[in-house]
Amino acid sequence: MTYFSNISNIKYEGSNSTNPYAFKFYNPEEKVGGKTMEDYLRFSVAYWHTFTEDLSDPFGAGTAVRPWDHYDGMDRAKARVDAAFELFEKLDVPYFCFHDVDIAPEGSHLRESNQNIDTIVAMMKDYMKDSKTKLLWNTVNNFTHPRFVHGAGSSNNADVFAYAAAKVKKGLEIGKELGAENYVFWGGREGYETLLNTDMKRELDHLSKFYHMAVAYAKEIGFDAQFLIEPKPKEPTTHQYDFDVASGYAFLQRYGLQNHFKFNIEANHATLAGHTFEHELRYARVNNILGSVDANQGHQLLGWDTDEFPTDLYATTLAMYEIIKNGGLGRGGLNFDAKVRRGSFEPEDLVHAHIAGMDSFAVGLKVAQKLIDDQVLDNVIEERYSSFDEGIGKEIEDGTTDFHKLEEHALNLDGIQNQSGRLEYIKATINQYLLKAYAGA
Ligand SMILES: [Mn+2]
């Protein structure tokens, strides 16, 4: 049984191609900055949005037409695996990601849920023997089921804490079984609605114990994946403990976990936190905690997590700028945590969406590499901070001055001269690079 039989393997045809089923900019073998695009971008398909998502919203039923949906239960779960590996091959993607409940339905008991997972994991492992597509990361869903109403690792209910831990234990085991590069924690319910019934200190203490036990168990079974925290603010709980990278990093340092985790940064979560995508990437990069990326985008007019496929070239350029400056993503990748719009309900829309996302990041990679090669922003920034290269500035950086000397310096100043930040000029220059990138100039 095939599910995308009308679509052949997607190839790179260049920017003049009019074939809707071809890459216009993503050329896996093309080298940028000494690495192939495939090695740099490390694209990943998100199982939940592509094979499990029905495109329902709070006001309407699912619209997705999926040829595997005429099956039920475990038969549907198995059909999704067939569809997934067919699509992975047609898109030629190196990675995929999943939550436990995306791949297998929950049973009436944890034991039955685990058996369902084992069946699907065995099927995936069999496919992966012949497939180039590997597991970028897996995670467990400790947020959808009603048992997680008050949280998982931060729940007030110790039985729920134990249940959530048992699910993560299983997640770590199957991550090892499938050779996952990373393991992700997104605390969908790790937060609170109101302080009126919440012991914040106790919840944070519990959550840290949860993470420490996960680290210990991974070590025990020899699962060497990079652990990742995925920050997100104010959805679904009013106050999420992993609000953004900075608050997540403060938590990790407070509880002695900072050497065991990096961050999985999602564009739409960044914007919901009131940051740009590149802010979150930069914060992680300068602290050496950039692990992986959920490549999507939000909608500027909507205040929730729309998880759109990334098509904003300005955003992909600035994101790739950070990723190149980071020396790549290491064991991480660009995972399309993105869903087609509710009106794009046909199976081929899944293909168009991934082509759009992959091409957008390929453009971003090329433009960002050119900006770096030409030192466009480096020169601006070097000049902007040059007062710290000599004199009193250098003494500040070297730690050889103090408030007495700084006061003396200030008292002897004959006025202060600042320089323009030249923001409009810089933006115009970036536009020039974006437009020149494919004009052959
Ligand atoms: Mn999202």
Side-chain angles (χ1 to χ4, degrees):
M1 175 79 193
T2 58
Y3 294 96
F4 301 93
S5 49
N6 56 333
I7 293 162
S8 48
N9 291 357
I10 310 300
K11 301 284 185 201
Y12 170 70
E13 292 187 4
S15 60
N16 291 322
S17 170
T18 55
N19 176 3
Y21 296 106
F23 296 119
K24 316 304 185 298
F25 304 105
Y26 176 60
N27 180 5
E29 289 147 30
E30 183 179 335
K31 283 200 169 172
V32 180
K35 271 196 266 190
T36 65
M37 281 197 179
E38 181 169 37
D39 287 344
Y40 233 133
L41 297 166
R42 295 168 64 84
F43 288 128
S44 163
V45 173
Y47 206 91
W48 54 102
H49 282 315
T50 301
F51 306 107
T52 315
E53 171 78 46
D54 69 358
L55 303 179
S56 57
D57 71 15
F59 304 96
T63 59
V65 176
R66 302 290 180 251
W68 46 88
D69 275 352
H70 64 267
Y71 295 107
D72 273 324
M74 281 299 285
D75 288 337
R76 179 160 65 172
K78 290 174 187 170
R80 282 180 175 138
V81 179
D82 292 329
F85 280 88
E86 184 189 347
L87 187 66
F88 299 160
E89 187 179 344
K90 288 189 167 165
L91 290 171
D92 194 31
V93 283
Y95 290 104
F96 73 114
C97 298
F98 64 80
H99 306 75
D100 53 354
V101 302
D102 307 328
I103 64 167
E106 281 200 75
S108 54
H109 189 274
L110 180 61
R111 204 165 277 114
E112 188 187 344
S113 298
N114 286 346
Q115 283 164 0
N116 290 348
I117 289 169
D118 286 339
T119 301
I120 298 301
V121 165
M123 196 176 161
M124 285 180 165
K125 199 174 179 187
D126 206 38
Y127 263 110
M128 288 166 79
K129 281 180 199 154
D130 301 316
S131 169
K132 72 177 265 183
T133 307
K134 300 192 290 271
L135 187 58
L136 184 66
W137 51 260
N138 65 306
T139 183
V140 303
N141 177 326
N142 278 346
F143 45 89
T144 298
H145 193 281
R147 76 175 72 87
F148 300 117
V149 60
H150 299 311
S154 63
S155 175
N156 57 300
N157 184 340
D159 287 342
V160 175
F161 184 103
Y163 199 102
K167 288 191 74 192
V168 171
K169 178 175 177 287
K170 184 70 179 171
L172 297 171
E173 289 161 7
I174 64 173
K176 182 177 187 232
E177 177 78 6
L178 294 176
E181 298 270 8
N182 306 272
Y183 185 87
V184 166
F185 294 84
W186 174 56
R189 302 284 167 191
E190 312 295 20
Y192 66 93
E193 300 300 333
T194 170
L195 286 176
L196 300 176
N197 63 11
T198 298
D199 187 333
M200 182 193 281
K201 173 73 165 56
R202 221 166 164 182
E203 290 200 357
L204 290 169
D205 287 350
H206 293 172
L207 194 55
S208 74
K209 289 183 191 308
F210 194 96
Y211 289 143
H212 272 294
M213 285 189 272
V215 168
Y217 187 67
K219 192 176 174 198
E220 181 187 329
I221 64 170
F223 180 37
D224 72 344
Q226 172 65 55
F227 275 19
L228 302 170
I229 299 272
E230 181 175 324
K232 182 181 184 183
K234 68 188 178 187
E235 187 189 74
T237 68
T238 312
H239 302 274
Q240 292 280 139
Y241 290 133
D242 300 324
F243 185 93
D244 60 3
V245 178
S247 59
Y249 191 41
F251 171 87
L252 293 177
Q253 291 176 93
R254 161 69 180 82
Y255 288 102
L257 287 158
Q258 69 274 18
N259 296 328
H260 301 288
F261 286 81
K262 289 188 174 182
F263 285 81
N264 182 43
I265 296 172
E266 175 173 329
N268 205 165
H269 294 182
T271 49
L272 289 177
H275 300 306
T276 58
F277 187 16
E278 60 270 22
H279 165 92
E280 289 290 82
L281 294 169
R282 176 71 64 94
Y283 191 92
R285 170 163 81 79
V286 300
N287 286 293
N288 196 29
I289 48 174
L290 174 53
S292 197
V293 168
D294 268 9
N296 64 12
Q297 64 184 36
H299 195 291
Q300 66 185 128
L301 303 181
L302 302 174
W304 61 91
D305 196 16
T306 60
D307 285 339
E308 300 181 24
F309 272 85
T311 52
D312 178 341
L313 301 180
Y314 210 94
T316 59
T317 296
L318 296 185
M320 285 314 302
Y321 188 88
E322 298 304 324
I323 291 167
I324 295 170
K325 286 278 192 180
N326 193 59
L329 287 169
R331 301 184 73 173
L334 294 173
N335 173 51
F336 291 113
D337 182 9
K339 58 188 173 188
V340 290
R341 296 303 86 194
R342 195 161 179 267
S344 306
F345 47 78
E346 294 179 343
E348 43 266 62
D349 290 308
L350 296 170
V351 180
H352 293 310
H354 282 91
I355 291 172
M358 292 161 86
D359 272 342
S360 297
F361 267 92
V363 172
L365 170 63
K366 290 188 79 164
V367 177
Q369 184 66 54
K370 191 87 173 83
L371 286 167
I372 288 168
D373 289 345
D374 292 353
Q375 296 189 287
V376 173
L377 301 180
D378 285 325
N379 286 341
V380 167
I381 289 167
E382 193 180 312
E383 167 64 22
R384 194 157 180 259
Y385 292 86
S386 59
S387 70
F388 285 89
D389 292 340
E390 55 189 12
I392 193 72
K394 188 163 187 333
E395 287 177 34
I396 292 168
E397 288 203 344
D398 290 347
T400 57
T401 189
D402 58 27
F403 267 22
H404 298 289
K405 292 184 203 163
L406 289 169
E407 182 191 47
E408 191 188 329
H409 181 87
L411 287 170
N412 287 322
L413 285 173
D414 184 20
I416 287 177
Q417 296 293 319
N418 271 313
Q419 293 173 327
S420 169
R422 299 270 186 257
L423 180 57
E424 295 76 10
Y425 169 70
I426 296 166
K427 285 188 166 182
T429 307
I430 293 174
N431 282 349
Q432 200 180 358
Y433 272 75
L434 263 164
L435 292 168
K436 264 175 30 174
Y438 293 98

